[in-house]
């Protein structure tokens, strides 16, 4: 096998989807510990608060503890090179969170056993659906009382339309939590409360569930386990093909904080999750093992320090080998650029790396010329697809304090929307500009950047819209639709017609009234 193919086969690029508080940070930390990327538990968490000490990023980012270095966490585990891309939640939740998922090859879903599927997980899963991203599920906090495991699986199946295949099965929960039974290795992993497992304790092999040792170890819980496992016998086995197309998810149970079940999860993950695969472009499919370099930008992070207005564009490599100092073509503007100062994200050592491979993320310094969705290649003209704008869910009106700055406002907003920082909508009637975002942080960033970079001081007021839908349809229908619903129609920054719905009822009603019009939740860049 060529060097490039070997490097590709070793790579696993993934993100974690979860609702805030399900345990993403705790799990990330344990994964990094296994990967040797951090030495001590508590590192990831404490970085949340004191990262700003070393970071030179914008004030707002400092305040919120967002940092470029934590956007991509690379670690080695066994023979694998793992890239964990951060999917910010809580207040940092933004369109970027969604877009990160367009750059991964698989995802890990963390569910709080007491809560089941929560809103943010549902939203993120919707994005995974767009590319049929394979999902591995970790049901966390088994050391606490939670929902019945069968109910959790039913909840996942109903809300997320993915069939659950339990790989491990919990033995009790909360105070009665004794550990998990690995259905494939036929092993029991015992849990000892209060003892943080290192993850390398050997399991107890129980080949035959009628083995009396099971009763010795688990007492009355042995029969419960037998009965539950018997119930599972009726369910389908895991089929690799079904997993790879996102229709089945292997399910693991554990407790991240106790480092219980995490090693099993990580082992299964590196073995099962796909290596970087082919990616679609407008022109053709691109295979990762093609010699020529190619990649696309899925995220742009701004530095608000007025002294350095550079931004970092995060590029996912899709094919070929990247070497420092290499010349690549930026297709949208038809220019060749030498990437001499790209940052290659490695958890431990960011400076020493000279090359990167498909699945890896590199950071390009950007002075405002790079847009979300831009493709870079060695030479061939290509445009990767599937890096969309997502329907905003919160809206604000922009009112200028100084009407003479209107030109600067337009320019700033165009630039910011091109970078994917915020979405901009201009009404068909009137001239009030509406900003749309998926997370509130996007407004804060927009406000600060308009002020610092474009010297535009504006007032922002909440706008009462529920969501946006991009509109498409046959010409005559469209003209009719435009005429009738003018009051709620806007053009986005790329002049695409968009309907802003004041509430859900209105959206449902309008969609029902106009069955031939397409109401799209995402729109591709281009
Ligand atoms: P997030 O990144 O998904 O938001 O979740 P995070 O890891 O911060 O975990 C949220 C809370 O859940 C934390 O408690 C964390 O300690 C706890 N937690 C994570 N895994 C487990 C688990 O397996 N069992 C139990 N019982 N709790 C777990 P916190 O009190 O909010 O924060 P902290 O004071 O512990 O930092």
């Amino acid at each position: 096998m060529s060097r490039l193919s070997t490097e590709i086969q070793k790579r696993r690029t993934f993100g974690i989807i979860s609702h805030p508080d399900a345990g993403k940070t705790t799990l990330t930390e344990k994964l990094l510990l296994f990967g040797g990327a951090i030495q001590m538990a508590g590192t990831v968490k404490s970085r949340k608060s004191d990262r700003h000490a070393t970071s030179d990023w914008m004030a707002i980012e400092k305040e919120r503890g967002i940092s470029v270095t934590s956007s991509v966490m690379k670690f080695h585990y066994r023979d694998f090179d793992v890239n964990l891309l951060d999917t910010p939640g809580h207040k940092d939740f933004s369109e970027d969170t969604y877009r990160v998922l367009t750059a991964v090859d698989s995802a890990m879903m963390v569910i709080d056993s007491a809560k089941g599927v929560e809103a943010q997980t549902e939203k993120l899963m919707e994005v995974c659906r767009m590319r049929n991203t394979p999902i591995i599920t970790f049901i966390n906090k088994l050391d606490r009382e939670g929902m019945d495991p069968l109910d959790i699986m039913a909840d996942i199946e109903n809300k997320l339309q993915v069939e659950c295949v339990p790989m491990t099965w919990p033995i009790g929960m909360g105070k009665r939590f004794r550990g998990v039974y690995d259905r494939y290795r036929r092993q029991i992993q015992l849990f000892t409360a209060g003892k943080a497992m290192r993850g390398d304790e050997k399991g107890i092999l129980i080949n035959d569930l009628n083995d009396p040792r099971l009763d010795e170890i688990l007492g009355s819980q042995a029969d419960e386990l037998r009965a539950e496992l018997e119930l599972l016998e009726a369910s389908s086995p895991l089929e690799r093909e079904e997993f790879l197309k996102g229709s089945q998810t292997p399910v693991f149970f554990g407790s991240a904080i106790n480092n219980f079940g995490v090693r099993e999860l990580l082992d299964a993950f590196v073995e099962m999750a796909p290596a970087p695969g082919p990616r679609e472009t407008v022109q053709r499919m691109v295979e990762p093992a093609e010699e020529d370099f190619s990649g696309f930008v899925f995220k742009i992070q701004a530095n608000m320090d007025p002294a350095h207005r550079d931004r970092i564009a995060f590029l996912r490599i899709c094919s070929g080998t990247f070497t420092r100092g290499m010349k690549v073509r930026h297709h949208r503007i038809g220019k060749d650029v030498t990437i001499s100062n790209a940052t290659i994200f490695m958890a431990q050592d960011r400076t020493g790396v000279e090359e990167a491979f498909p699945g890896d993320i590199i950071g390009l310094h950007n002075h405002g010329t790079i847009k979300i969705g831009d493709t870079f290649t060695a030479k061939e003209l290509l445009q990767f697809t599937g890096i969309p704008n997502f329907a905003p869910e919160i809206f604000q009106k922009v009112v200028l304090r100084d009407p003479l700055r209107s030109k600067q406002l337009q320019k700033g907003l165009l630039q910011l929307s091109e970078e994917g920082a915020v979405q901009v909508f201009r009404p068909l009637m009137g001239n009030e500009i509406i900003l749309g975002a998926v997370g509130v942080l996007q407004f804060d960033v927009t406000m600060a950047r308009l002020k610092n970079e474009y010297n535009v001081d504006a007032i922002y007021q909440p706008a009462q819209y529920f969501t946006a839908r991009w509109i498409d349809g046959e010409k005559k229908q469209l003209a009719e639709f435009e005429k009738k619903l003018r009051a709620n129609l806007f053009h986005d920054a790329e002049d695409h017609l968009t309907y802003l719905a004041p509430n859900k009822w209105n959206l449902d009603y309008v969609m029902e009234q106009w069955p031939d019009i397409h109401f799209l939740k995402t729109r591709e860049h281009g």
Side-chain angles (χ1 to χ4, degrees), residues 20-26 45 90 140-141 143-144 255-257:
D21 277 343
K24 186 188 72 164
T25 314
T26 312
K45 275 228 117 116
H90 297 255
N140 191 24
K141 306 195 187 181
D143 59 318
R144 283 202 189 153
S255 166
I257 196 125

Side-chain angles (χ1 to χ4, degrees), residues 431-468:
N431 46 19
E432 200 163 62
I433 299 174
I434 303 285
L435 303 183
V438 163
V440 281
L441 174 67
Q442 291 179 252
F443 290 135
D444 296 353
V445 169
T446 304
M447 248 182 257
R449 288 188 57 188
L450 277 178
K451 195 148 190 235
N452 289 344
E453 294 173 35
Y454 301 91
N455 199 12
V456 175
D457 209 0
I459 304 168
Y460 301 83
Q461 298 164 340
Q464 300 306 324
Y465 291 107
F466 160 70
T467 191

Side-chain angles (χ1 to χ4, degrees), residues 335-346:
K335 244 181 149 171
D336 287 338
V337 283
T338 303
I339 309 182
S340 47
N341 57 353
T343 307
I344 301 177
F345 293 104
M346 299 286 290

